[in-house]
Amino acid sequence: MSNKRRFYITTAIPYVNGDPHLGHALEFVQADVLARHRRLRGDNVRFLSGTDDNALKNVDAAVAAGLSVAEFVAEKAQRFVDLAVTLQLSNDDFIRTSTDPRHRPGVERLWRACAEAGDLYQRDYQGLYCSGCEAFVLPDDLAAGRCPEHGQAPELIVERNWFFRLSRYQDALLDLVERGRLRIEPTHRRNEVLAFIRSGLTDFSVSRAHERARGWGIPVPDDPEQLIYVWFDALANYITALGNDSDDAYREWWRESDERLHLIGKGIIRFHAIYWPAILLSAQQPLPTTIFVHDYLTVEGRKLSKSLGTVIDPLRVVERYGIDALRWWFHRDVPRNGDADFREVLVAARANELADGLGNLINRTIALVGRSHPGGVRQISDWPAEAAQLRERCRELPFAIDKGLAGFDLRAATTALWEVVSEANRFVSATKPWDIAKAARGGDPQASERLDAALAALLHACHVITRELRPFLPLGAERITTALTELDVEQGRSLFPKVLDQCAN
């Protein structure tokens, strides 16, 4: 039996009523960093993403496009699959809720477990429904009669639905969050969840009329006139992708995993931090251990949204600036708390930071070693005195990154990494290895020893930086590793292309 920790991480599964936008790319990449980092530290990791195919808004979009729902959903879902490839995600699994053979049986099992617990019942209901949220909303949730999330007025719906007894789990949920058994980060999001629970939980609808959903979705077991509500359906993907209780994958990654982490946007926190844990409690299944909540990307202060018409195509950004530049902007400029406004000039600036800072460091190191020690630098036992601060930064870097990512602060983690890059560049400027090399070529034996020590310290720093960079920029780190191994000056020069035109909007 392995002593490695098991880490299961999931993204939210996005609706496929339109093409992916930059906000989807952000969440994909953030989850990828966490997964890659845990693997780098030796943990066993399973990373799941996918698409929410069964939403009513997908049906509406298909009708508007004049396509069958299945055809429309398949086409849009493939674009999310392609985006994952473009972003260089390391996901182990990708689930499509309309076609994956694991999903429907898993949803039905979950439904029956809640029914056996006495937590599902039918009643007539009249309420305000926001199609953007795929949820009923209360008048107090609205701003000037409109959904603050999607800017649209909800419609009045009257129908008979199945309901889940959320009210039965109010005390249990409050205890879980207060005691930290269900960890929610950042803290202000935890407080938001606590406030909502303390205000009183009411039962919520978990089905929709077959007619209103145009027959698209998973039928309620033993009641084909009703379809399972998309949020009950979609949330279940985190466990349906692992099979059933008797499957090894379910046992390993859900029941016995050391950490079960959901990464989500702030707009769906209620579903993940309240509805989903209550459903699992009803079904007597383990709960997620951690929920990391990110804020939004905006354009001129407005949320990126298909329904709001504020969409930035991540593929276009990658085509113009490269995947490293976009990922680096996500890590360096998107805060742990608060929205981040997107402008292409900021991505260009981060591309140039990589070129001028990290690319230049690696290029200079390769050139210096290649000219004076083409066969490689010998191992040394003592670092030069002037390298003391660089050495300490290198020693502390893994711990600083661990701390940042443990608190879901990618900006803190990459700031720590960049401090080592800056320190290494200062070390080059301070020691001037090219001058030492001249003295060594002139026959100065002490200069030769000083040069060996300086280059060894510099190479060590470059290798530490490259190793710790892998979760953040996997392709960039791979190119650096090749260039350092082969001492290839040409590769060193082209590691991170510089963006000359920074006048983009």
Side-chain angles (χ1 to χ4, degrees):
M1 180 67 69
S2 172
N3 292 323
K4 293 181 179 180
R5 288 176 57 83
R6 282 172 290 196
F7 177 66
Y8 181 45
I9 181 170
T10 71
T11 68
I13 53 173
Y15 300 126
V16 291
N17 59 319
D19 293 338
H21 60 61
L22 202 63
H24 300 123
L26 170 67
E27 186 170 302
F28 282 176
V29 168
Q30 288 177 331
D32 185 57
V33 169
L34 298 177
R36 288 179 182 274
H37 172 254
R38 291 299 188 95
R39 293 191 190 103
L40 183 63
R41 295 295 185 257
D43 290 343
N44 288 322
V45 174
R46 187 177 182 90
F47 171 18
L48 171 70
S49 192
T51 54
D52 182 355
D53 294 0
N54 294 331
L56 187 57
K57 60 168 57 178
N58 298 340
V59 176
D60 294 338
V63 171
L67 298 172
S68 72
V69 181
E71 181 183 2
F72 179 86
V73 165
E75 178 187 336
K76 295 300 183 184
Q78 185 60 46
R79 299 190 185 187
F80 284 88
V81 174
D82 294 342
L83 176 63
V85 173
T86 298
L87 296 174
Q88 295 295 311
L89 300 192
S90 62
N91 54 297
D92 304 282
D93 199 355
F94 192 98
I95 186 168
R96 283 193 53 205
T97 58
S98 67
T99 59
D100 195 299
R102 298 169 295 180
H103 188 64
R104 177 170 173 170
V107 173
E108 291 172 342
R109 283 193 300 272
L110 188 63
W111 180 278
R112 293 187 186 281
C114 292
E116 290 172 8
D119 287 328
L120 298 176
Y121 65 95
Q122 276 189 301
R123 70 176 171 90
D124 294 327
Y125 185 75
Q126 174 177 304
L128 297 172
Y129 186 80
C130 173
S131 60
C133 295
E134 289 273 3
F136 286 100
V137 296
L138 299 174
D140 290 346
D141 295 330
L142 306 177
R146 295 179 176 273
C147 170
E149 184 81 8
H150 298 95
Q152 62 189 26
E155 60 178 317
L156 182 65
I157 297 293
V158 180
E159 63 184 20
R160 185 170 182 81
N161 294 148
W162 286 90
F163 276 73
F164 177 81
R165 297 186 194 278
L166 182 64
S167 56
R168 176 180 286 181
Y169 295 95
Q170 177 168 327
D171 292 342
L173 291 171
L174 186 63
D175 181 71
L176 284 165
V177 179
E178 284 183 334
R179 292 177 179 271
R181 290 174 56 200
L182 176 57
R183 177 190 173 202
I184 301 170
E185 293 285 349
T187 301
H188 70 283
R189 296 299 173 197
R190 172 182 179 272
N191 294 338
E192 177 185 323
V193 171
L194 287 172
F196 187 82
I197 296 173
R198 289 168 182 154
S199 70
L201 299 182
T202 58
D203 299 350
F204 71 100
S205 171
V206 289
S207 75
R208 297 292 180 264
H210 183 280
E211 182 179 359
R212 185 156 74 89
R214 299 182 179 89
W216 182 258
I218 299 174
V220 169
D222 307 316
D223 186 2
E225 293 305 309
Q226 293 275 308
L227 298 181
I228 295 175
Y229 169 47
V230 67
W231 275 110
F232 191 104
D233 168 344
L235 290 165
N237 92 90
Y238 304 132
I239 59 175
T240 63
L242 302 174
N244 60 46
D245 287 11
S246 62
D247 289 339
D248 289 343
Y250 184 88
R251 174 187 56 77
E252 181 177 3
W253 297 108
W254 193 258
R255 186 170 293 282
E256 297 179 5
S257 186
D258 296 288
E259 189 166 0
R260 300 173 291 276
L261 188 153
H262 296 324
L263 177 61
I264 62 167
K266 65 181 178 181
I268 55 176
I269 186 172
R270 185 183 305 180
F271 301 100
H272 283 79
I274 297 175
Y275 292 6
W276 176 230
I279 291 169
L280 290 169
L281 287 171
S282 173
Q284 299 184 12
Q285 298 297 323
L287 272 59
T289 60
T290 308
I291 299 175
F292 279 164
V293 185
H294 64 81
D295 286 341
Y296 290 147
L297 296 183
T298 59
V299 177
E300 297 180 352
R302 300 180 68 208
K303 173 195 171 187
L304 291 180
S305 166
K306 294 185 285 285
S307 57
L308 295 177
T310 51
V311 173
I312 301 294
D313 182 358
L315 298 178
R316 185 181 64 81
V317 178
V318 170
E319 183 179 344
R320 181 165 187 180
Y321 300 102
I323 184 58
D324 288 326
L326 178 58
R327 286 182 67 121
W328 197 238
W329 180 76
F330 284 155
H331 308 328
R332 295 282 277 156
D333 285 351
V334 176
R336 182 174 184 265
N337 299 319
D339 297 339
D341 208 54
F342 172 79
R343 287 182 292 139
E344 285 194 19
V345 67
L346 301 177
V347 180
R350 289 306 182 187
N352 288 340
E353 177 181 66
L354 287 171
D356 295 336
L358 182 55
N360 188 44
L361 170 65
I362 302 298
N363 181 39
R364 288 201 292 180
T365 300
I366 290 173
L368 286 166
V369 173
R371 282 196 297 265
S372 58
H373 292 73
V377 177
R378 67 178 179 85
Q379 293 292 323
I380 62 167
S381 57
D382 297 320
W383 281 46
E386 57 265 37
Q389 185 168 336
L390 175 59
R391 183 177 187 177
E392 184 62 17
R393 292 277 194 186
C394 290
R395 187 190 67 79
E396 293 174 347
L397 180 57
F399 303 102
I401 290 176
D402 289 352
K403 181 180 179 181
L405 296 186
F408 189 46
D409 194 339
L410 278 73
R411 191 155 67 168
T414 50
T415 295
L417 194 154
W418 202 253
E419 287 174 352
V420 180
V421 173
S422 300
E423 187 62 40
N425 277 315
R426 283 193 292 269
F427 174 75
V428 174
S429 299
T431 57
K432 296 182 174 58
W434 48 89
D435 287 344
I436 303 175
K438 287 181 182 179
R441 286 195 296 271
D444 184 343
Q446 291 183 336
S448 181
E449 290 182 5
R450 287 177 57 217
L451 181 61
D452 287 351
L455 294 181
L458 196 53
L459 274 175
H460 173 76
C462 288
H463 284 298
V464 169
I465 290 166
T466 305
R467 183 183 69 240
E468 297 301 322
L469 183 70
R470 287 174 190 161
F472 304 99
L473 301 181
L475 285 184
E478 184 178 333
R479 291 196 304 272
I480 294 172
T481 298
T482 300
L484 286 172
T485 301
E486 299 178 3
L487 292 179
D488 189 319
V489 175
E490 290 303 316
Q491 288 190 60
R493 287 174 181 162
S494 59
L495 288 171
F496 299 101
K498 194 172 178 66
V499 178
L500 300 179
D501 178 12
Q502 296 192 60
C503 298
N505 293 328

